Amino acid sequence: MANQSKIKVCVAGATGWAGSELAKAIAVSGELELVAAISRQHAGKSLNEVLDIAGTKIPVFATIEEALTVPCDVLVEYTKPGVAKHHILTAIAKGVNVVVGTSGLSDEDYEEIGIKAAAHQQSVLAVGNFAISVVLLNKFAEMAARYMSNWEIIDYASAGKIDAPSGSARELAYRLSQVKKQELQVSMEHTQGVKETRGADINGTRVHSLRLPGFVISLEAIFGMPDEKLTLKHEAGNSSKPYVTGAFLAIKKVGSFTGLKRGLDSVID
């Protein structure tokens, strides 16, 4: 009887760096039940043997269409930008709520996803980063933007990260744009030299992405006013465990609204 009240979850990217840690935690949870997983590399196997998980067999599928033949309440999307949007839209159409942990989706992607979620009366919670320190950074940055004139973002990651900027940086730039529009003291058209060194314009914020060996994931927001500056920085370690707590919260909260919400704090305020 206890299992009937559990939220049934499918994890796309369940054998990846973050997805595997989440899958293991769900498997031993008293509130959630992992019923299926998506991993092209391990399709046809059980996730139990891949990740050394005890208990009921968890099938691994190659595609979202196959995975959703197993009834579930929530899809956790933890793959890559190239397939994430297809996974999300397919889940919505099948009546499954979605928690997005994949980075690299654009504002235009989320606009389309939000429209489809509302039309199907489903919920999508897009979380650029599940770490509580990132949730706090976003909140503090929004506060700072109300009072400080200018800001820029530095997005750090390992050399192998293929998307730039990261989902965390995109989300922060979007949220700052909702506070107010900033004006550069020297506009880009009047910038001399190599304009690209000033970073990319993401929703009116200059964003600089570093991709180097030795980094895991870091996010830095720097605010400036005459004679003063403020730096807010999140730094991740090598473990993906800090993301599990936030992901659990997102899974439990995603069904509490209809349409699209962005940011974990949007459901915990």
Side-chain angles (χ1 to χ4, degrees):
M1 293 296 293
N3 281 353
Q4 292 181 3
S5 62
K6 288 186 176 183
I7 300 172
K8 297 182 183 296
V9 181
C10 171
V11 177
T15 59
W17 179 70
S20 59
E21 197 70 49
L22 176 61
K24 291 175 184 177
I26 293 174
V28 297
S29 168
E31 302 171 281
L32 310 178
E33 180 183 0
L34 187 58
V35 296
I38 301 173
S39 170
R40 291 186 183 277
Q41 182 180 358
H42 298 284
K45 301 178 182 178
S46 73
L47 196 63
N48 308 69
E49 68 174 290
V50 176
L51 298 183
D52 192 23
I53 297 173
T56 305
K57 181 180 177 181
I58 305 160
V60 181
F61 300 95
T63 68
I64 184 70
E65 289 80 6
E66 293 171 305
L68 293 184
T69 60
V70 179
C72 71
D73 304 305
V74 177
L75 170 72
V76 178
E77 167 50 41
Y78 244 149
T79 61
K80 296 180 180 179
V83 296
K85 184 178 174 182
H86 171 68
H87 286 176
I88 296 164
L89 294 177
T90 301
I92 292 170
K94 291 286 187 178
V96 176
N97 294 327
V98 185
V99 171
V100 185
T102 303
S103 64
L105 294 172
S106 67
D107 291 336
E108 292 74 21
D109 290 331
Y110 280 124
E111 183 177 0
E112 181 181 348
I113 289 166
I115 291 170
K116 187 156 188 177
H120 286 266
Q121 293 293 291
Q122 295 301 134
S123 308
V124 177
L125 179 57
V127 182
N129 192 310
F130 290 106
I132 297 302
S133 56
V134 173
V135 175
L136 294 172
L137 188 154
N138 286 335
K139 294 300 287 185
F140 297 156
E142 287 178 321
M143 293 171 60
R146 296 189 186 102
Y147 300 100
M148 303 192 76
S149 309
N150 296 96
W151 56 82
E152 299 199 7
I153 294 172
I154 305 178
D155 159 42
Y156 307 83
S158 65
K161 186 172 179 59
I162 62 173
D163 59 306
S166 67
S168 301
R170 284 181 180 272
E171 186 62 31
L172 179 54
Y174 169 78
R175 294 175 64 136
L176 292 174
S177 74
Q178 302 304 294
V179 177
K180 70 182 179 187
K181 181 180 178 180
Q182 62 171 334
E183 293 185 7
L184 298 178
Q185 292 187 16
V186 178
S187 67
M188 290 307 299
E189 64 182 31
H190 290 112
T191 296
Q192 299 181 11
V194 183
K195 290 181 170 58
E196 290 80 3
T197 61
R198 289 290 294 113
D201 183 336
I202 308 293
N203 288 312
T205 292
R206 309 312 300 184
V207 179
H208 312 263
S209 291
L210 277 67
R211 298 290 180 264
L212 291 169
F215 285 95
V216 182
I217 295 173
S218 298
L219 183 65
E220 187 172 15
I222 304 173
F223 294 81
M225 291 180 68
D227 296 321
E228 59 181 319
K229 65 181 179 181
L230 171 68
T231 299
L232 302 172
K233 188 173 185 179
H234 153 78
E235 291 188 303
N238 291 313
S239 168
S240 58
K241 290 182 180 179
Y243 308 113
V244 171
T245 300
F248 264 56
L249 183 58
I251 292 167
K252 290 187 281 186
K253 290 287 189 177
V254 69
S256 64
F257 60 90
T258 299
L260 169 71
K261 286 194 174 185
R262 295 176 63 167
L264 185 59
D265 61 296
S266 67
V267 294
I268 62 176
D269 279 348

